[in-house]
Amino acid sequence: MVGVRALCAGLAALLLLVGSPAQATLLDFSPAERQRILQHGPWPPPPALDAGNAVAGRPEAIALGQRLFFDVRLSPDGTLACVSCHVPSLAFADGRPRSTGRETLARNAPSLWNAVHQRWYGWDGATDSLWSQAIGPLTHAQEMAGSGAHLRALVQGDAALACRFRQVFGADALRDDETALVQTAQALGAWVGTLVSGRSAFDRFRDALARGDARAAAAYPQDAQRGLRLFIGRARCATCHTGPMFSNGEFADIGVPFFVRPGVVDPGRHGGITALQASRFNLLGPYSSARGDAATKTRHVELQHRNFGEFKVPSLRNVALTAPYLHDGQLATLADVVRHYDQINLERLHADGERILEPLGLSEGERGDLLAFLQTLTSPNASTRPATPPGPGSRRCPA
Ligand code: HEC
Ligand code: HEC
């Protein structure tokens, strides 16, 4: 009898050990750590509109931009649209190291999720608004190789599209070739500006911490909690990847090679500032609706030698979906990126400012924890926003 009872107790204990799910616990985050974690939210942030874009937020403009995004006729040979390199099922990136238009480009296509919450566009920040960013791919010979003249003729020859342009831009619609280019870009910017991703496992954890709900917070995986502790602490990632976007919106040098091909380098931010200041499509230019403070960042940007070889600090939201990584896709996996920071080569750091980075000496387990954390930033679904009805007096256009 006793023997049987002991056996049963033993079995029960064994079952408990084997069968129970891993104990959900919350790490003992210090008040300072909690505060740093909270800075990465809440999500989504307050709604933002594409800077300097007079039609941003207008339902008719958003609907027009959505059509244009998928329309290959925007390229004169009818083969390329925005969607060729920004694929919805790939988080609006393209999964290639470097994008291919009519030729292979020097850079990797970034995700378009949450782009409206960035300060600068392109890896070098050569543009200061979503709409002006679209002008590059529309016109570059390597990309869609179009022009204002091509776009104007295309829209004028398509009654449904022409009606929609008039709906959005009124009497000014398609006034001349350059206006047609700008208006196409503004409609595209209005739509891309609505792409805000939903909430991730990290966001649920962060909000549970914020309201002091230890039980809900404990549901966040342990390895991700340890990785987050490294991210905001010893690994110093959050020095640059900070705020709700996991980016400080600026540019930095993390010691990666920046050769386009032997003997040719990508000047990064240095080239970006030069191009931004020379562009008539920037926030200070004649097509921008930005007034007052809205163009301050562009007015005050200054070219410095250290900008050479700096690239934008990318947002890490949905980063697990957008391999390969870095401005030219030179690292294939997130594990490769973590290893890069772990074993950083200080001699490669060329800009003078990055005193933040040093080899981290992480254990294999710690590298795994960082990876587990990065994977909790995934949320490929759109953030739900109330749909805006068409504006008053909007005319109906043929389908
Ligand atoms: C041939 C491939 C290709 C096509 C076509 C293309 N893009 Fe891109 N896109 C890229 C690449 C590569 C970058 C990074 C550019 C850089 O760093 O200068 C980029 C960057 C962007 C960005 C900035 C994102 C960020 O985080 O900085 C936006 C916005 C964007 N594209 C929108 C568009 C729109 C709108 C269209 C259609 C007019 C379009 N793209 C067409 C490849 C492409
Ligand atoms: C000094 C600022 C800085 C620090 C610190 C930093 N990063 Fe970055 N991070 C960048 C920049 C800049 C890039 C883009 C570099 C490029 O494309 O050449 C980048 C790229 C990345 C990417 C690739 C994202 C993509 O879409 O291609 C990941 C992932 C990443 N960092 C994670 C981390 C982690 C994890 C840490 C901490 C171990 C960290 N970063 C520390 C500035 C920083």
Side-chain angles (χ1 to χ4, degrees), residues 88-170:
S89 61
L90 298 174
F92 292 95
D94 64 7
R96 305 172 192 226
R98 299 173 179 193
S99 284
T100 302
R102 292 160 61 89
E103 292 166 38
T104 297
L105 311 179
R107 298 202 185 136
N108 173 265
S111 165
L112 299 185
W113 280 123
N114 313 315
V116 74
H117 292 292
Q118 298 195 37
R119 283 157 63 84
W120 307 106
Y121 298 97
W123 284 101
D124 56 4
T127 52
D128 53 8
S129 67
L130 281 174
W131 69 268
S132 62
Q133 167 69 34
I135 289 182
L138 285 170
T139 54
H140 281 168
Q142 289 183 313
E143 297 183 64
M144 292 160 72
S147 64
H150 166 70
L151 293 169
R152 189 158 169 242
L154 168 74
V155 179
Q156 280 171 339
D158 178 324
L161 263 187
C163 171
R164 284 164 199 274
F165 267 75
R166 281 193 305 274
Q167 196 179 53
V168 176
F169 299 102

Side-chain angles (χ1 to χ4, degrees), residues 27-386:
L27 295 193
D28 56 340
F29 291 108
S30 71
E33 283 178 320
R34 281 171 192 252
Q35 204 202 341
R36 254 174 280 152
I37 294 169
L38 295 195
Q39 283 164 5
H40 297 266
W43 190 264
L49 289 178
D50 180 23
N53 184 346
V55 301
R58 294 228 342 242
E60 300 89 344
I62 295 168
L64 174 59
Q66 180 169 16
R67 287 183 166 238
L68 296 171
F69 191 86
F70 296 89
D71 193 337
V72 290
R73 293 176 303 165
L74 268 52
S75 62
D77 64 5
T79 59
L80 286 167
C82 308
V83 70
S84 312
C85 304
H86 299 287
V87 186
S89 61
L90 298 174
F92 292 95
D94 64 7
R96 305 172 192 226
R98 299 173 179 193
S99 284
T100 302
R102 292 160 61 89
E103 292 166 38
T104 297
L105 311 179
R107 298 202 185 136
N108 173 265
S111 165
L112 299 185
W113 280 123
N114 313 315
V116 74
H117 292 292
Q118 298 195 37
R119 283 157 63 84
W120 307 106
Y121 298 97
W123 284 101
D124 56 4
T127 52
D128 53 8
S129 67
L130 281 174
W131 69 268
S132 62
Q133 167 69 34
I135 289 182
L138 285 170
T139 54
H140 281 168
Q142 289 183 313
E143 297 183 64
M144 292 160 72
S147 64
H150 166 70
L151 293 169
R152 189 158 169 242
L154 168 74
V155 179
Q156 280 171 339
D158 178 324
L161 263 187
C163 171
R164 284 164 199 274
F165 267 75
R166 281 193 305 274
Q167 196 179 53
V168 176
F169 299 102
D172 206 34
L174 309 170
R175 195 185 53 218
D176 52 44
D177 292 350
E178 189 170 84
T179 305
L181 174 63
V182 166
Q183 290 173 343
T184 302
Q186 288 179 335
L188 284 164
W191 184 65
V192 174
T194 64
L195 301 175
V196 175
S197 65
R199 287 163 57 73
S200 62
F202 168 79
D203 297 311
R204 290 190 288 277
F205 171 70
R206 183 245 169 232
D207 290 359
L209 272 193
R211 58 174 196 272
D213 184 344
R215 224 183 108 102
Y220 188 56
Q222 284 264 315
D223 51 358
Q225 293 187 41
R226 290 192 300 266
L228 169 58
R229 174 173 266 170
L230 281 168
F231 188 88
I232 57 162
R234 185 154 63 85
R236 303 193 200 174
C237 314
T239 316
C240 300
H241 298 283
T242 187
M245 286 286 279
F246 289 86
S247 167
N248 59 7
E250 287 304 325
F251 300 80
D253 164 25
I254 59 164
V256 295
F258 51 109
F259 286 104
V260 177
R261 51 182 182 276
V264 180
V265 294
D266 186 331
R269 184 58 174 149
H270 199 276
I273 294 177
T274 311
L276 173 77
Q277 291 177 330
S279 170
R280 61 193 258 101
F281 303 115
N282 70 25
L283 288 180
L284 302 168
Y287 293 104
S288 165
S289 66
R291 301 279 170 270
D293 287 351
T296 303
K297 64 179 181 183
T298 305
R299 196 170 293 117
H300 292 304
V301 73
E302 255 179 52
L303 194 62
Q304 284 163 1
H305 185 69
R306 66 172 302 239
N307 298 131
F308 202 83
E310 286 186 334
F311 293 90
K312 189 165 67 181
V313 177
S315 169
L316 299 183
R317 286 195 174 265
N318 292 309
V319 73
L321 303 176
T322 59
Y325 299 103
L326 304 186
H327 68 274
D328 58 355
Q330 62 183 269
L331 295 180
T333 66
L334 272 184
D336 294 336
V337 179
V338 169
R339 211 170 299 119
H340 164 78
Y341 284 110
D342 189 33
Q343 303 167 2
I344 203 153
N345 179 350
L346 293 178
E347 278 166 23
R348 276 243 179 85
L349 291 177
H350 41 85
D352 50 36
E354 310 322 345
R355 303 267 181 268
I356 310 152
L357 295 164
E358 51 184 42
L360 298 171
L362 301 175
S363 69
E364 199 184 327
E366 288 172 325
R367 288 200 300 272
D369 290 343
L370 261 180
L371 273 177
F373 162 67
L374 292 171
Q375 270 145 5
T376 66
L377 301 178
T378 302
S379 169
N381 301 316
S383 160
T384 43
R385 287 264 158 75

